[in-house]
Amino acid sequence: MSASAGLPTPTTGSEPDASLVARVGTVPDKVSLDGLETRWDSAWTESGTYTFDRSASRADVYSIDTPPPTVSGSLHVGHVFSYTHTDVVARFQRMRGKSVFYPMGWDDNGLPTERRVQNYYGVRCDPSLPYVEGYEPPLQGAEGKSVKAADQQPIGRKNFVELCERLTAEDEKEFESLWRYLGLSVDWQHHYQTIGRTAQATAQTAFLRNLARGEAYQAEAPGLWDVTFQTAVAQAELEARDYPGHFHTIAFHAPDGTDVVIETTRPELLPACVALIAHPDDERYQHLFGTTVTSPLFGVEVPVLAHTMAEPDKGAGIAMCCTFGDLTDVQWWRELQLPTRSILVRDGRITRETPDWITSEQGVALFGEMLGKTTFSARTAVVDALRESGDLHGEPVATQRKANFFEKGDKPLEIVTSRQWYIRNGGRDADLNAALLARGDELTFHPEFMAVRYSNWVGGLNGDWLVSRQRFFGVPIPVWFPVDAHGEPQWDAPIIPDEASLPIDPSSDTPAGYTADQRGQAGGFIGDPDIMDTWATSSLTPQIAGGWLTDPDLFARVFPMDLRPQGQDIIRTWLFSTVVRAHLEHGSLPWANAAISGWILDPDRKKMSKSKGNVVTPMGLLEEHGSDAVRYWAASARLGTDAAFEVGQMKIGRRLAIKVLNASKFALSFAGDDDLSLDPSLVTEPIDRAMLAGLADVVDKATAALESYDHTRALEVSETFFWTFCDDYLELVKDRAYGAGDASVSAATLSARTGLAIALDTLLRLFAPVLPFATEEVWSWWRQGSVHHAAWPVSDGLRTAAGDADVTVLTAAGHALASLRKIKSGAKVSMRTPIVLVDLAVPDAYLPAIESARVDILGAGRVTGPLTLTVASPDQGDPSVQGGIVVVRSELGEAEPKPARNA
RNA sequence: GGGCCUGUAGCUCAGCUGGUUAGAGCGCCACGUUUACACCGUGGAUGUCGGGGGUUCGAGUCCCUCCGGGCCCACCA
């Protein structure tokens, strides 16, 4: 790292220190923010400003596990917002001398990409079709036109995956250019795709290791199933939504002829009923426990059982347990060892064969009408029959119920029995659960309260992590199964590939010891048809980005990582699953810190999202306001707090960036043709030293804030100081800094010029993480190298230069100047108007301070006559203004005629 | 039903472990082109700190309670 270390300490010897002198190069006559983004992005790329120094040891590295954005649409302001937060951290750490490992990934895995490809190219995947060489899809960019499924051209899996890769590559190019324009200090040599070969190999290797250690397993079990996508769905992907339904009151029949009445919203599941269940303490049903009743219409005999999960005040207090209507049914079925009578199949329709437990003539006839029907039509059939038989009591009553949905689906989930793969995540194992909760405690969340979202989720898990999905585009489960002599797959004896052969696709690759023509044959093999959950890959981003498999040397330098930035909504998914994988594979946390950004809300306080159509495109914003301005807006919002989308805040950021350019140009203009000194020993005037003392405080506060991931506070203290610096200090020292106008430079002039140079040098470093473009631009006018590799400022040197000065001199002089301005403002005259006489009553403590800056105050206030200072008494005037300085008497002179301006 | 966050000027938000008259910026009003800046500068007005109780010499800050926003989990009979 090349930087001069913060502010150099004063030299004591006679050797001039080269680092204390800066030669001012060309400062533009007219400064502008326009074009800085493109210009500096090129310059940074060319000089490798953000290249990770892989010779650095782990202790000198700061590594970031960046969220790979989903490449299935476009980035929105929410992305710009949260990625800026991360970039501020990256830039701060880089300036502190860390080698920053800041890779970028693209999440092009999974359903969103799959669906987008279907729409964009008008195709659909049919894994049974062969690969077609040189295939071209029927459409290009048909997005939004929504091609009906029936009109989509069916293509084989390999062709489909190729299209996925083609489309995501285009998107990724666009995303990268946006990130570059925004000024993310990413090392673009380190980027990855979650569908890339490395990611696939990593996901498959990690899975096989989980399998070898017994952490991954298969089970044939009832589980939540999306009938649209026809895939199993994991707990983390659930979303409870309101769903309209009807309560139906239905009579079962006891042997003695009495009715046992239940209520249900799903009468179509009547043929799947396996028991009636009431609470063991429920007085009303005591006499029925242990007996059987007969279902209406279908005449199936079912037991009446007791279970504590039954709630007496829900419905009739006695429930119909079906295989399977909901997760409670599954629990009853399991715990009471009930038979399985499934009637729903994977497409969400009623089975196409009448099941053997339905034997009555009436039952068989009715079920015959239901065969292959949707649940909706089947319900109508059952309800009509019930009404006719008199077993429907009253009419159905409309109700609003909650149903589980796949977060990307729009039909309620059904429960279907299937063979699936799971990874243990503490959902069924108390020890592992406790260990993962402990990992949560070990992880530092910013803000802290986000930790409870983790522990709530982990504590509330009710099953292991379902990782298999019945989809096409994704990382295949890397196993095959032998097929026995009868043609039956041996699910219990998976054929495991060698790690060195990964990644593999078992649907096209052949396992060792077999030939391709044995696929699907008796005595041969079949591939596992499923792919892994997208989180099964995403949970390995630290390993993928860090080179776990491909570059162990790199991995040792970056893992466990320092920071995981992400949104609060995916703590339960991405964050948790990543913790699970690292815990199982490495016995550690994947990172030390998690920084959680809030949401961007539109002016109606609604979360911005594509589905609501209230998204603002980021590139337009960046071009209109400038990247520094948009970054300023983002950096003004604290972690974990939702922020309003506010153009006003961007305008303030733009104003700040422009002010940085202008104030810098001004400060540098005093150098003339001379070199500008940064030697603190030349700062001799009390007010100059006071300014440096104030700056030292700012440096300490900003540093402490950034160390605790509070970028907002760091920006705020720097910004507040900077505006006072411009409005008061610059005005006060202007005249002195210009000097006498001849070649001689007095000590007082040198003090002002050096103070300005030191302050500018420090302020540019303080602002660099938030305003990388404006600060780099100014830096290039007079310093060597990049400000983004300059050392983060430290207060020591500033304090040495300030000596025993304290900030009071500057604040008091500022207040005095304000009181002089108020005289003119009150008289509605130009600030150029001279004051020929003024008496100020000032607080006790300010008297010496103001006295020591008298000459500067007279100059800045254009006081041409006597300035008299007295100590203010408590009853004098309004002490709340101008720091308690009261104008006792004043007299204004004639304004000078306008000076001719040089164009 | 359980949990977390949040309610301060018209708007967006600061107010750290309780301490003098509650802050900033935007917006608003008035004035001003000053050898950096009109993408500017100077000055000004603006609040029963969601309501009500309590602890305290002292509460925007701590406790209780109610009301309003947002989010997560549970709730499918």
Side-chain angles (χ1 to χ4, degrees), chain A residues 172-206:
Chain A
E172 284 157 18
K173 250 182 278 168
E174 208 174 299
F175 283 22
E176 180 178 330
S177 67
L178 177 70
W179 282 161
R180 285 178 173 280
Y181 198 89
L182 177 63
L184 297 190
S185 58
V186 162
D187 180 355
W188 290 101
Q189 290 165 47
H190 289 274
H191 68 96
Y192 63 89
Q193 295 161 292
T194 56
I195 197 62
R197 281 186 66 82
T198 304
Q200 293 218 13
T202 304
Q204 292 188 334
T205 304

Side-chain angles (χ1 to χ4, degrees), chain A residues 415 639 784 844:
Chain A
I415 291 168
L639 287 175
Q784 298 300 306
D844 213 348

Side-chain angles (χ1 to χ4, degrees), chain A residues 24 27 663-672 676 756-757 760 778 781-782:
Chain A
V24 179
V27 180
S664 301
K665 176 184 142 196
F666 186 48
L668 294 176
S669 70
F670 299 120
L676 201 49
L756 285 171
L760 179 60
V778 173
W781 296 340
W782 66 306

Side-chain angles (χ1 to χ4, degrees), chain A residues 7-10 680 683 689-701 758 762 794-807:
Chain A
L7 189 73
T9 44
V683 182
R689 295 182 149 212
M691 183 274 294
L692 293 182
L695 187 55
D697 291 343
V698 168
V699 165
D700 285 340
K701 283 179 190 162
I758 292 172
T762 307
V794 287
S795 62
D796 298 10
L798 295 170
R799 291 202 193 284
T800 308
D804 58 359
D806 81 71
V807 203

Side-chain angles (χ1 to χ4, degrees), chain A residues 33-44 180-181 627 773:
Chain A
L33 293 175
D34 298 335
L36 294 187
E37 290 88 353
T38 321
R39 181 142 53 85
W40 285 111
D41 173 54
S42 304
W44 292 331
R180 285 178 173 280
Y181 198 89
S627 291
F773 295 104

